[in-house]
Amino acid sequence: MENIIYIILLLVTTILFKFVFKINFKKAKSLKENKEMEKITDKFPKNIEVAKQMLEMLGNKEVKVEEAKNTQTSLYIAITNKISIADMKSNYSRLQTIAHECLHACQDRTMLLFNFVFSNINILYFLIITILTIFKVINNTMLQIAILILFTLIQFSVRSFLEIDAMTRAKFLAKDYIEKENLCTNKEKEQLLKEYDKINKIGIPFVIDNLLTNGLIKILIYIIISGIV
């Protein structure tokens, strides 16, 4: 009975967050392509050069930058202090995306490393207790659910802070970079920044919801498994 209550509460919470944050997958998808804006960003240098220039603007010369082929995911890897830029030359949001990763590279290193280490601990803990529960080594599943909820809250708090901080500041770094390079007209700059505003308005709630949903799904999976065995 307790497991059923947990499942209902987790599902309601997941749905509630999507309603509160007005998550709209169609709108998010519609922002992926904009041919008019792509013509503007095509005027700017290649991704690696853009990243290095932005890092220089931020006073950070220690971060390594590389371009990852055949992927649409850009990320900053704290443990190696490296930015991996996705293959997105034609993506009009690339300036803001690169700015986002450059800002991650300049965030508090202790918090970045904690996020990296704790995220892996959380995944490892989930896998271990799930296996031990399946083989009936763990009997007190309520304690494990409580620990998973605590771990999810800790990871969500740290990761969401890092993401919101980088996403909020990325537009301003992109704006400073565009003005510094002076490769487009004022009208084109305003058009591009307006689109970046749209990305943030949809993207920030989307990221928060995604982080929480992923954490809750992991808890939900464990509750279902513990109820079955």
Side-chain angles (χ1 to χ4, degrees), residues 50-72:
V50 171
K52 288 179 178 178
Q53 289 171 339
M54 286 186 176
L55 286 168
E56 188 176 340
M57 289 171 65
L58 292 167
N60 190 330
K61 297 181 180 180
E62 290 79 34
V63 182
K64 298 175 185 176
V65 183
E66 66 177 28
E67 191 162 31
K69 300 296 182 182
N70 304 317
T71 179
Q72 294 299 310

Side-chain angles (χ1 to χ4, degrees), residues 134-150:
I134 290 172
F135 288 99
K136 300 185 185 298
V137 176
I138 291 177
N139 296 315
N140 191 350
T141 57
M142 288 300 108
L143 174 61
Q144 305 309 321
I145 292 170
I147 293 173
L148 279 177
I149 292 172
L150 178 62

Side-chain angles (χ1 to χ4, degrees), residues 17 26 30 39-40 43 49 53 56 62 67-68 114 116 145 159 192 195 199 204 208 214-215 218 224 228:
F17 259 74
K26 287 185 178 179
S30 69
K39 290 178 183 178
I40 299 173
K43 298 179 181 181
E49 188 178 342
Q53 289 171 339
E56 188 176 340
E62 290 79 34
E67 191 162 31
F114 174 83
F116 178 83
I145 292 170
R159 181 69 185 278
L192 195 57
E195 291 301 313
I199 291 173
I204 291 176
I208 295 172
N214 288 341
K218 192 162 52 181
I224 293 171
I228 293 172

Side-chain angles (χ1 to χ4, degrees), residues 47 67-74 85-90:
N47 296 331
E67 191 162 31
K69 300 296 182 182
N70 304 317
T71 179
Q72 294 299 310
T73 304
S74 296
I85 305 295
D87 185 10
M88 52 175 186
K89 181 65 176 74
S90 61

Side-chain angles (χ1 to χ4, degrees), residues 10-67:
L10 288 172
L11 289 174
V12 169
T13 301
T14 302
I15 295 168
L16 183 62
F17 259 74
K18 284 178 170 43
F19 174 76
V20 171
F21 283 115
K22 299 178 181 178
I23 301 302
N24 190 319
F25 291 98
K26 287 185 178 179
K27 274 190 177 181
K29 192 175 181 180
S30 69
L31 293 174
K32 287 186 176 181
E33 290 186 10
N34 189 317
K35 297 299 180 183
E36 186 181 351
M37 295 300 106
E38 285 172 17
K39 290 178 183 178
I40 299 173
T41 52
D42 281 346
K43 298 179 181 181
F44 291 87
K46 293 182 179 179
N47 296 331
I48 290 181
E49 188 178 342
V50 171
K52 288 179 178 178
Q53 289 171 339
M54 286 186 176
L55 286 168
E56 188 176 340
M57 289 171 65
L58 292 167
N60 190 330
K61 297 181 180 180
E62 290 79 34
V63 182
K64 298 175 185 176
V65 183
E66 66 177 28
E67 191 162 31

